[in-house]
Amino acid sequence: MTAKISLYGYVTSPFVRKVSCYLYYKNLPFEFIGVSPVEPEKTIGFSGGTQVPVLKIDDEWRVDSSPLGIWLNELFPEKPLLGSNAQEREKILKIDAWASDQFIPGMIFRSAVDSEMTDGFRKRAWRLAEIVSSGAKMPDHVRQAWPDILKQAPFIQQMVNRLDRSEPLPAMEHRLITELVVHLEGGPFLGGLNHASLADFAVYPQIMFPYQVGLVNDMVLAQHPTLGPWLERVGETLPHNPWCVGEEFLIHSRPTRT
């Protein structure tokens, strides 16, 4: 029998994006259930907390994107997420930890906390609120306040405070992109592996989702001599829309190198 798989989360969570990519990569049919950041207990109260993603497989559920990848790999070993041997597994998990501790907070969350409250920031925040509300309806006053909510969100603040914020944000972003190139080890996939892994799905969604849903309008990395081909290769392992959002929210197609 086919397992019943349900993924609970906010469609804008970078950690939810990781898990949706695991599932699509492994060709595992699943139901996405949107969670309201305002009243998460209404949807994931069974978990005893508010953390997303929550993955439920038949009657068992677990949380935390990286352990969820390991769990999926154990239950559904076809198209492995953790390589083919202990050495590859160790390398993949090390890159994934870097993505969770450095890349996601530095490239996604820090800009929310440290950027000025400009018209552009508000526009992007309201776009995020619109996308979140498409998965789990939020009141209009909450959507309107989303720019302030993003800056004050305890989880985002906690993740950012682990970083060295004395490093200017542009310098941090440049450093993280340089480190990403190093982690490729010449490719074709992260860690120098010949196949996609949990590590690729920790990073790729954080680059591609903001572009495809119109939060940014330029995909400079697509023209990068090393990262451009890597983005294409990872994208080819996934459907064109692995983000659990309606097609109407996709503003840009995945870019190709010119």
Side-chain angles (χ1 to χ4, degrees), residues 163-224:
L163 301 170
D164 177 8
R165 292 169 71 182
S166 67
E167 182 180 17
L169 178 56
M172 178 174 286
E173 292 174 339
H174 182 269
R175 173 178 59 78
L176 290 169
I177 293 300
T178 300
E179 290 176 2
L180 176 59
V181 173
V182 172
H183 283 309
L184 261 173
E185 297 184 18
F189 294 97
L190 284 173
L193 274 64
N194 290 321
H195 50 81
S197 75
L198 185 145
D200 297 278
F201 301 129
V203 180
Y204 172 85
Q206 323 319 337
I207 297 172
M208 196 57 62
F209 173 82
Y211 176 73
Q212 284 200 258
V213 301
L215 296 174
V216 298
N217 290 316
D218 296 310
M219 178 53 73
V220 177
L221 292 183
Q223 303 306 317
H224 190 284

Short mmCIF file of all heavy atoms in Angstrom, two decimals, residues 163-224:
data_model
loop_
_atom_site.label_atom_id
_atom_site.label_comp_id
_atom_site.label_asym_id
_atom_site.label_seq_id
_atom_site.Cartn_x
_atom_site.Cartn_y
_atom_site.Cartn_z
N LEU A 163 24.19 34.75 14.18
CA LEU A 163 25.18 35.18 13.20
C LEU A 163 26.07 36.28 13.77
O LEU A 163 25.72 36.93 14.76
CB LEU A 163 24.48 35.71 11.94
CG LEU A 163 23.53 34.76 11.21
CD1 LEU A 163 22.75 35.53 10.14
CD2 LEU A 163 24.31 33.61 10.57
N ASP A 164 27.19 36.51 13.12
CA ASP A 164 28.05 37.65 13.46
C ASP A 164 27.53 38.87 12.70
O ASP A 164 27.88 39.10 11.55
CB ASP A 164 29.50 37.35 13.07
CG ASP A 164 30.42 38.53 13.35
OD1 ASP A 164 29.96 39.51 13.98
OD2 ASP A 164 31.58 38.48 12.92
N ARG A 165 26.68 39.65 13.37
CA ARG A 165 26.04 40.77 12.70
C ARG A 165 26.96 41.99 12.59
O ARG A 165 26.56 43.02 12.06
CB ARG A 165 24.73 41.12 13.40
CG ARG A 165 23.69 40.02 13.21
CD ARG A 165 22.48 40.20 14.10
NE ARG A 165 21.64 41.32 13.69
CZ ARG A 165 20.55 41.69 14.34
NH1 ARG A 165 20.19 41.04 15.44
NH2 ARG A 165 19.83 42.71 13.91
N SER A 166 28.19 41.86 13.11
CA SER A 166 29.16 42.92 12.86
C SER A 166 29.65 42.89 11.42
O SER A 166 30.18 43.89 10.91
CB SER A 166 30.35 42.81 13.82
OG SER A 166 31.11 41.64 13.54
N GLU A 167 29.47 41.77 10.75
CA GLU A 167 29.81 41.65 9.33
C GLU A 167 28.70 42.31 8.52
O GLU A 167 27.54 41.92 8.64
CB GLU A 167 29.96 40.19 8.93
CG GLU A 167 30.35 39.98 7.48
CD GLU A 167 30.49 38.50 7.11
OE1 GLU A 167 29.96 37.65 7.87
OE2 GLU A 167 31.11 38.20 6.08
N PRO A 168 29.01 43.31 7.70
CA PRO A 168 27.95 43.96 6.91
C PRO A 168 27.19 42.94 6.07
O PRO A 168 27.77 41.95 5.58
CB PRO A 168 28.73 44.94 6.02
CG PRO A 168 30.00 45.19 6.77
CD PRO A 168 30.33 43.90 7.47
N LEU A 169 25.89 43.17 5.93
CA LEU A 169 25.04 42.21 5.22
C LEU A 169 25.54 41.93 3.80
O LEU A 169 25.63 40.76 3.40
CB LEU A 169 23.60 42.71 5.19
CG LEU A 169 22.60 41.84 4.43
CD1 LEU A 169 22.59 40.42 4.96
CD2 LEU A 169 21.20 42.45 4.51
N PRO A 170 25.90 42.95 2.98
CA PRO A 170 26.40 42.63 1.64
C PRO A 170 27.66 41.75 1.67
O PRO A 170 27.82 40.85 0.84
CB PRO A 170 26.70 44.00 1.03
CG PRO A 170 25.83 44.95 1.78
CD PRO A 170 25.78 44.41 3.17
N ALA A 171 28.54 42.01 2.64
CA ALA A 171 29.76 41.19 2.76
C ALA A 171 29.40 39.77 3.15
O ALA A 171 30.01 38.80 2.65
CB ALA A 171 30.70 41.81 3.79
N MET A 172 28.43 39.61 4.04
CA MET A 172 28.01 38.27 4.45
C MET A 172 27.41 37.51 3.27
O MET A 172 27.72 36.32 3.06
CB MET A 172 27.00 38.36 5.59
CG MET A 172 26.46 37.01 6.04
SD MET A 172 25.39 37.11 7.51
CE MET A 172 26.62 37.42 8.78
N GLU A 173 26.58 38.17 2.50
CA GLU A 173 25.97 37.50 1.34
C GLU A 173 27.03 37.08 0.34
O GLU A 173 26.97 35.96 -0.21
CB GLU A 173 24.94 38.44 0.70
CG GLU A 173 23.72 38.68 1.59
CD GLU A 173 22.78 39.72 1.02
OE1 GLU A 173 23.22 40.54 0.19
OE2 GLU A 173 21.60 39.73 1.42
N HIS A 174 28.01 37.94 0.09
CA HIS A 174 29.08 37.61 -0.84
C HIS A 174 29.89 36.42 -0.31
O HIS A 174 30.24 35.50 -1.07
CB HIS A 174 30.00 38.82 -1.05
CG HIS A 174 31.09 38.58 -2.04
ND1 HIS A 174 32.34 38.10 -1.67
CD2 HIS A 174 31.14 38.75 -3.39
CE1 HIS A 174 33.09 37.98 -2.74
NE2 HIS A 174 32.39 38.36 -3.79
N ARG A 175 30.19 36.43 0.98
CA ARG A 175 30.95 35.33 1.57
C ARG A 175 30.19 34.01 1.46
O ARG A 175 30.77 32.96 1.13
CB ARG A 175 31.25 35.63 3.04
CG ARG A 175 31.89 34.46 3.79
CD ARG A 175 32.23 34.80 5.21
NE ARG A 175 31.11 35.21 6.01
CZ ARG A 175 30.21 34.38 6.55
NH1 ARG A 175 30.30 33.07 6.33
NH2 ARG A 175 29.21 34.84 7.28
N LEU A 176 28.89 34.04 1.73
CA LEU A 176 28.10 32.81 1.68
C LEU A 176 28.02 32.24 0.27
O LEU A 176 28.06 31.02 0.08
CB LEU A 176 26.70 33.07 2.24
CG LEU A 176 26.65 33.32 3.76
CD1 LEU A 176 25.28 33.84 4.17
CD2 LEU A 176 27.02 32.06 4.54
N ILE A 177 27.92 33.11 -0.72
CA ILE A 177 27.93 32.63 -2.10
C ILE A 177 29.29 32.01 -2.44
O ILE A 177 29.37 30.96 -3.10
CB ILE A 177 27.59 33.77 -3.07
CG1 ILE A 177 26.14 34.23 -2.88
CG2 ILE A 177 27.81 33.35 -4.52
CD1 ILE A 177 25.10 33.16 -3.10
N THR A 178 30.36 32.64 -1.98
CA THR A 178 31.69 32.08 -2.20
C THR A 178 31.82 30.72 -1.53
O THR A 178 32.38 29.77 -2.10
CB THR A 178 32.76 33.04 -1.66
OG1 THR A 178 32.65 34.29 -2.34
CG2 THR A 178 34.16 32.48 -1.88
N GLU A 179 31.31 30.60 -0.31
CA GLU A 179 31.35 29.32 0.40
C GLU A 179 30.51 28.26 -0.32
O GLU A 179 30.87 27.07 -0.34
CB GLU A 179 30.88 29.50 1.84
CG GLU A 179 31.85 30.30 2.68
CD GLU A 179 31.35 30.58 4.09
OE1 GLU A 179 30.23 30.12 4.42
OE2 GLU A 179 32.06 31.24 4.85
N LEU A 180 29.39 28.67 -0.91
CA LEU A 180 28.57 27.74 -1.67
C LEU A 180 29.36 27.16 -2.85
O LEU A 180 29.30 25.94 -3.11
CB LEU A 180 27.30 28.43 -2.17
CG LEU A 180 26.37 27.62 -3.07
CD1 LEU A 180 25.90 26.35 -2.38
CD2 LEU A 180 25.18 28.48 -3.50
N VAL A 181 30.09 28.01 -3.53
CA VAL A 181 30.93 27.53 -4.65
C VAL A 181 31.95 26.52 -4.14
O VAL A 181 32.17 25.47 -4.77
CB VAL A 181 31.63 28.71 -5.35
CG1 VAL A 181 32.62 28.21 -6.39
CG2 VAL A 181 30.60 29.63 -6.00
N VAL A 182 32.56 26.81 -2.99
CA VAL A 182 33.53 25.88 -2.41
C VAL A 182 32.86 24.54 -2.10
O VAL A 182 33.43 23.47 -2.37
CB VAL A 182 34.17 26.49 -1.15
CG1 VAL A 182 35.04 25.45 -0.44
CG2 VAL A 182 35.00 27.72 -1.50
N HIS A 183 31.66 24.58 -1.56
CA HIS A 183 30.95 23.34 -1.22
C HIS A 183 30.60 22.51 -2.45
O HIS A 183 30.37 21.30 -2.33
CB HIS A 183 29.67 23.66 -0.43
CG HIS A 183 29.91 24.02 1.00
ND1 HIS A 183 30.69 23.24 1.84
CD2 HIS A 183 29.47 25.07 1.76
CE1 HIS A 183 30.72 23.78 3.05
NE2 HIS A 183 30.01 24.90 3.02
N LEU A 184 30.55 23.13 -3.60
CA LEU A 184 30.27 22.36 -4.82
C LEU A 184 31.42 21.42 -5.15
O LEU A 184 31.21 20.37 -5.76
CB LEU A 184 30.02 23.31 -6.00
CG LEU A 184 28.56 23.57 -6.36
CD1 LEU A 184 28.46 24.66 -7.42
CD2 LEU A 184 27.89 22.30 -6.86
N GLU A 185 32.63 21.80 -4.78
CA GLU A 185 33.82 20.97 -5.04
C GLU A 185 33.91 20.57 -6.51
O GLU A 185 34.28 19.45 -6.84
CB GLU A 185 33.80 19.73 -4.15
CG GLU A 185 33.87 20.02 -2.67
CD GLU A 185 33.93 18.77 -1.82
OE1 GLU A 185 34.27 17.68 -2.36
OE2 GLU A 185 33.63 18.85 -0.62
N GLY A 186 33.53 21.48 -7.38
CA GLY A 186 33.60 21.18 -8.80
C GLY A 186 32.38 20.49 -9.35
O GLY A 186 32.31 20.23 -10.56
N GLY A 187 31.43 20.13 -8.50
CA GLY A 187 30.16 19.56 -8.92
C GLY A 187 30.27 18.16 -9.47
O GLY A 187 31.28 17.50 -9.29
N PRO A 188 29.20 17.71 -10.13
CA PRO A 188 28.04 18.47 -10.59
C PRO A 188 27.06 18.90 -9.49
O PRO A 188 26.30 19.84 -9.68
CB PRO A 188 27.36 17.53 -11.58
CG PRO A 188 27.79 16.17 -11.16
CD PRO A 188 29.17 16.32 -10.61
N PHE A 189 27.07 18.19 -8.33
CA PHE A 189 26.18 18.57 -7.24
C PHE A 189 27.02 18.87 -6.00
O PHE A 189 28.22 18.64 -5.98
CB PHE A 189 25.16 17.46 -6.97
CG PHE A 189 24.20 17.25 -8.11
CD1 PHE A 189 24.41 16.24 -9.04
CD2 PHE A 189 23.09 18.07 -8.27
CE1 PHE A 189 23.55 16.05 -10.10
CE2 PHE A 189 22.21 17.89 -9.34
CZ PHE A 189 22.45 16.88 -10.26
N LEU A 190 26.39 19.42 -4.97
CA LEU A 190 27.11 19.82 -3.78
C LEU A 190 27.89 18.64 -3.19
O LEU A 190 27.43 17.49 -3.20
CB LEU A 190 26.15 20.38 -2.74
CG LEU A 190 25.64 21.80 -3.03
CD1 LEU A 190 24.56 22.21 -2.04
CD2 LEU A 190 26.78 22.81 -2.99
N GLY A 191 29.08 18.97 -2.69
CA GLY A 191 29.97 17.94 -2.18
C GLY A 191 30.73 17.22 -3.26
O GLY A 191 31.43 16.23 -2.97
N GLY A 192 30.61 17.70 -4.50
CA GLY A 192 31.26 17.02 -5.61
C GLY A 192 30.59 15.73 -6.00
O GLY A 192 31.17 14.92 -6.74
N LEU A 193 29.35 15.52 -5.53
CA LEU A 193 28.64 14.27 -5.82
C LEU A 193 28.09 14.28 -7.25
O LEU A 193 27.88 15.33 -7.85
CB LEU A 193 27.50 14.07 -4.83
CG LEU A 193 27.86 13.38 -3.50
CD1 LEU A 193 28.84 14.20 -2.69
CD2 LEU A 193 26.61 13.06 -2.69
N ASN A 194 27.79 13.09 -7.72
CA ASN A 194 27.25 12.94 -9.07
C ASN A 194 25.73 12.90 -9.08
O ASN A 194 25.14 12.67 -10.14
CB ASN A 194 27.81 11.67 -9.71
CG ASN A 194 29.29 11.79 -10.03
OD1 ASN A 194 29.76 12.84 -10.46
ND2 ASN A 194 30.04 10.72 -9.80
N HIS A 195 25.11 13.09 -7.93
CA HIS A 195 23.65 13.07 -7.84
C HIS A 195 23.20 14.09 -6.80
O HIS A 195 23.97 14.43 -5.89
CB HIS A 195 23.15 11.68 -7.47
CG HIS A 195 23.87 11.10 -6.28
ND1 HIS A 195 23.53 11.42 -4.99
CD2 HIS A 195 24.92 10.24 -6.20
CE1 HIS A 195 24.33 10.79 -4.15
NE2 HIS A 195 25.19 10.07 -4.86
N ALA A 196 21.99 14.54 -6.92
CA ALA A 196 21.45 15.50 -5.96
C ALA A 196 21.29 14.84 -4.59
O ALA A 196 21.12 13.62 -4.49
CB ALA A 196 20.11 16.05 -6.44
N SER A 197 21.34 15.66 -3.55
CA SER A 197 21.23 15.13 -2.20
C SER A 197 20.49 16.12 -1.31
O SER A 197 20.10 17.21 -1.74
CB SER A 197 22.62 14.85 -1.62
OG SER A 197 23.26 16.06 -1.25
N LEU A 198 20.34 15.73 -0.06
CA LEU A 198 19.73 16.59 0.95
C LEU A 198 20.40 17.96 1.00
O LEU A 198 19.76 18.97 1.22
CB LEU A 198 19.81 15.88 2.30
CG LEU A 198 19.15 16.50 3.53
CD1 LEU A 198 18.60 15.40 4.44
CD2 LEU A 198 20.18 17.31 4.33
N ALA A 199 21.71 18.00 0.76
CA ALA A 199 22.45 19.27 0.79
C ALA A 199 21.97 20.21 -0.31
O ALA A 199 21.77 21.41 -0.08
CB ALA A 199 23.94 18.99 0.64
N ASP A 200 21.79 19.70 -1.53
CA ASP A 200 21.32 20.54 -2.63
C ASP A 200 19.94 21.12 -2.34
O ASP A 200 19.67 22.28 -2.64
CB ASP A 200 21.28 19.73 -3.93
CG ASP A 200 22.64 19.24 -4.35
OD1 ASP A 200 23.39 20.03 -4.96
OD2 ASP A 200 22.98 18.08 -4.05
N PHE A 201 19.09 20.30 -1.72
CA PHE A 201 17.72 20.75 -1.45
C PHE A 201 17.64 21.64 -0.22
O PHE A 201 16.58 22.21 0.06
CB PHE A 201 16.79 19.55 -1.33
CG PHE A 201 16.78 18.70 -2.58
CD1 PHE A 201 16.98 17.33 -2.51
CD2 PHE A 201 16.62 19.29 -3.82
CE1 PHE A 201 16.99 16.57 -3.66
CE2 PHE A 201 16.62 18.53 -4.98
CZ PHE A 201 16.81 17.16 -4.91
N ALA A 202 18.75 21.77 0.50
CA ALA A 202 18.80 22.74 1.59
C ALA A 202 19.06 24.14 1.06
O ALA A 202 18.65 25.13 1.67
CB ALA A 202 19.88 22.36 2.59
N VAL A 203 19.75 24.24 -0.10
CA VAL A 203 20.20 25.53 -0.62
C VAL A 203 19.39 25.99 -1.83
O VAL A 203 18.95 27.14 -1.90
CB VAL A 203 21.70 25.48 -0.97
CG1 VAL A 203 22.17 26.81 -1.53
CG2 VAL A 203 22.53 25.08 0.24
N TYR A 204 19.20 25.10 -2.79
CA TYR A 204 18.54 25.46 -4.05
C TYR A 204 17.21 26.19 -3.85
O TYR A 204 16.98 27.24 -4.48
CB TYR A 204 18.34 24.20 -4.90
CG TYR A 204 17.51 24.41 -6.14
CD1 TYR A 204 18.10 24.87 -7.32
CD2 TYR A 204 16.14 24.15 -6.15
CE1 TYR A 204 17.34 25.06 -8.47
CE2 TYR A 204 15.38 24.34 -7.28
CZ TYR A 204 15.98 24.80 -8.44
OH TYR A 204 15.23 25.00 -9.56
N PRO A 205 16.31 25.70 -2.97
CA PRO A 205 15.01 26.39 -2.84
C PRO A 205 15.14 27.82 -2.34
O PRO A 205 14.29 28.67 -2.67
CB PRO A 205 14.26 25.53 -1.81
CG PRO A 205 14.97 24.23 -1.78
CD PRO A 205 16.39 24.52 -2.10
N GLN A 206 16.17 28.10 -1.56
CA GLN A 206 16.31 29.43 -0.98
C GLN A 206 16.76 30.44 -2.03
O GLN A 206 16.58 31.65 -1.86
CB GLN A 206 17.29 29.40 0.20
CG GLN A 206 17.25 28.18 1.08
CD GLN A 206 15.85 27.63 1.40
OE1 GLN A 206 14.85 28.34 1.34
NE2 GLN A 206 15.80 26.36 1.74
N ILE A 207 17.35 29.95 -3.10
CA ILE A 207 17.76 30.81 -4.22
C ILE A 207 16.62 30.95 -5.23
O ILE A 207 16.32 32.04 -5.71
CB ILE A 207 19.01 30.24 -4.90
CG1 ILE A 207 20.19 30.23 -3.92
CG2 ILE A 207 19.36 31.02 -6.17
CD1 ILE A 207 21.42 29.51 -4.45
N MET A 208 15.97 29.83 -5.53
CA MET A 208 15.02 29.81 -6.64
C MET A 208 13.62 30.31 -6.26
O MET A 208 12.97 31.00 -7.05
CB MET A 208 14.93 28.40 -7.23
CG MET A 208 14.28 28.35 -8.60
SD MET A 208 15.10 29.41 -9.82
CE MET A 208 16.73 28.65 -9.88
N PHE A 209 13.15 29.98 -5.06
CA PHE A 209 11.79 30.39 -4.68
C PHE A 209 11.59 31.90 -4.74
O PHE A 209 10.60 32.36 -5.34
CB PHE A 209 11.47 29.86 -3.28
CG PHE A 209 10.16 30.36 -2.72
CD1 PHE A 209 8.96 29.77 -3.07
CD2 PHE A 209 10.13 31.43 -1.82
CE1 PHE A 209 7.75 30.24 -2.55
CE2 PHE A 209 8.94 31.90 -1.30
CZ PHE A 209 7.75 31.30 -1.66
N PRO A 210 12.48 32.72 -4.14
CA PRO A 210 12.23 34.17 -4.19
C PRO A 210 12.15 34.70 -5.61
O PRO A 210 11.39 35.64 -5.89
CB PRO A 210 13.45 34.76 -3.45
CG PRO A 210 13.93 33.66 -2.58
CD PRO A 210 13.68 32.40 -3.36
N TYR A 211 12.90 34.11 -6.53
CA TYR A 211 12.86 34.56 -7.92
C TYR A 211 11.56 34.13 -8.59
O TYR A 211 10.88 34.94 -9.23
CB TYR A 211 14.06 34.00 -8.68
CG TYR A 211 14.04 34.33 -10.15
CD1 TYR A 211 14.32 35.62 -10.60
CD2 TYR A 211 13.74 33.35 -11.10
CE1 TYR A 211 14.29 35.94 -11.95
CE2 TYR A 211 13.71 33.66 -12.45
CZ TYR A 211 13.98 34.95 -12.88
OH TYR A 211 13.94 35.25 -14.21
N GLN A 212 11.19 32.87 -8.43
CA GLN A 212 10.02 32.38 -9.14
C GLN A 212 8.73 33.06 -8.69
O GLN A 212 7.81 33.24 -9.49
CB GLN A 212 9.91 30.86 -9.01
CG GLN A 212 10.91 30.12 -9.89
CD GLN A 212 10.50 28.68 -10.13
OE1 GLN A 212 11.03 27.77 -9.52
NE2 GLN A 212 9.55 28.47 -11.02
N VAL A 213 8.64 33.43 -7.42
CA VAL A 213 7.40 34.07 -6.95
C VAL A 213 7.47 35.59 -7.01
O VAL A 213 6.57 36.28 -6.54
CB VAL A 213 7.03 33.62 -5.51
CG1 VAL A 213 6.84 32.11 -5.46
CG2 VAL A 213 8.06 34.08 -4.50
N GLY A 214 8.53 36.14 -7.58
CA GLY A 214 8.59 37.57 -7.83
C GLY A 214 9.07 38.43 -6.69
O GLY A 214 8.90 39.65 -6.72
N LEU A 215 9.69 37.83 -5.66
CA LEU A 215 10.27 38.65 -4.59
C LEU A 215 11.51 39.38 -5.07
O LEU A 215 11.85 40.44 -4.56
CB LEU A 215 10.60 37.78 -3.38
CG LEU A 215 9.40 37.12 -2.69
CD1 LEU A 215 9.87 36.18 -1.61
CD2 LEU A 215 8.46 38.18 -2.11
N VAL A 216 12.21 38.77 -6.02
CA VAL A 216 13.33 39.42 -6.72
C VAL A 216 13.10 39.23 -8.20
O VAL A 216 12.50 38.24 -8.63
CB VAL A 216 14.70 38.84 -6.29
CG1 VAL A 216 14.95 39.07 -4.81
CG2 VAL A 216 14.78 37.35 -6.61
N ASN A 217 13.57 40.15 -8.97
CA ASN A 217 13.31 40.11 -10.41
C ASN A 217 14.53 39.75 -11.25
O ASN A 217 14.42 39.60 -12.46
CB ASN A 217 12.74 41.45 -10.89
CG ASN A 217 11.33 41.67 -10.37
OD1 ASN A 217 10.50 40.77 -10.40
ND2 ASN A 217 11.06 42.87 -9.88
N ASP A 218 15.67 39.63 -10.60
CA ASP A 218 16.90 39.27 -11.32
C ASP A 218 17.51 38.03 -10.69
O ASP A 218 17.57 37.92 -9.46
CB ASP A 218 17.92 40.41 -11.27
CG ASP A 218 17.42 41.66 -11.98
OD1 ASP A 218 16.96 41.53 -13.13
OD2 ASP A 218 17.47 42.75 -11.38
N MET A 219 17.95 37.11 -11.52
CA MET A 219 18.60 35.91 -11.05
C MET A 219 20.04 35.95 -11.53
O MET A 219 20.43 35.30 -12.50
CB MET A 219 17.87 34.66 -11.56
CG MET A 219 18.52 33.34 -11.16
SD MET A 219 18.82 33.16 -9.40
CE MET A 219 17.18 32.90 -8.81
N VAL A 220 20.84 36.75 -10.84
CA VAL A 220 22.23 36.95 -11.22
C VAL A 220 23.00 35.64 -11.18
O VAL A 220 23.86 35.37 -12.03
CB VAL A 220 22.89 38.00 -10.31
CG1 VAL A 220 24.36 38.16 -10.64
CG2 VAL A 220 22.17 39.34 -10.44
N LEU A 221 22.70 34.79 -10.19
CA LEU A 221 23.45 33.56 -10.03
C LEU A 221 23.26 32.59 -11.20
O LEU A 221 24.08 31.70 -11.40
CB LEU A 221 23.06 32.86 -8.72
CG LEU A 221 23.45 33.58 -7.43
CD1 LEU A 221 23.07 32.74 -6.22
CD2 LEU A 221 24.95 33.88 -7.42
N ALA A 222 22.18 32.79 -11.97
CA ALA A 222 21.98 31.91 -13.13
C ALA A 222 23.08 32.08 -14.16
O ALA A 222 23.34 31.17 -14.95
CB ALA A 222 20.62 32.20 -13.78
N GLN A 223 23.75 33.24 -14.15
CA GLN A 223 24.82 33.49 -15.10
C GLN A 223 26.20 33.21 -14.50
O GLN A 223 27.21 33.36 -15.17
CB GLN A 223 24.76 34.94 -15.59
CG GLN A 223 23.42 35.33 -16.22
CD GLN A 223 23.02 34.38 -17.35
OE1 GLN A 223 23.86 34.01 -18.17
NE2 GLN A 223 21.75 34.00 -17.39
N HIS A 224 26.23 32.79 -13.26
CA HIS A 224 27.50 32.46 -12.61
C HIS A 224 28.10 31.22 -13.28
O HIS A 224 27.38 30.23 -13.51
CB HIS A 224 27.26 32.20 -11.12
CG HIS A 224 28.51 32.08 -10.30
ND1 HIS A 224 29.28 30.93 -10.32
CD2 HIS A 224 29.11 32.93 -9.44
CE1 HIS A 224 30.31 31.09 -9.49
NE2 HIS A 224 30.23 32.30 -8.96
#
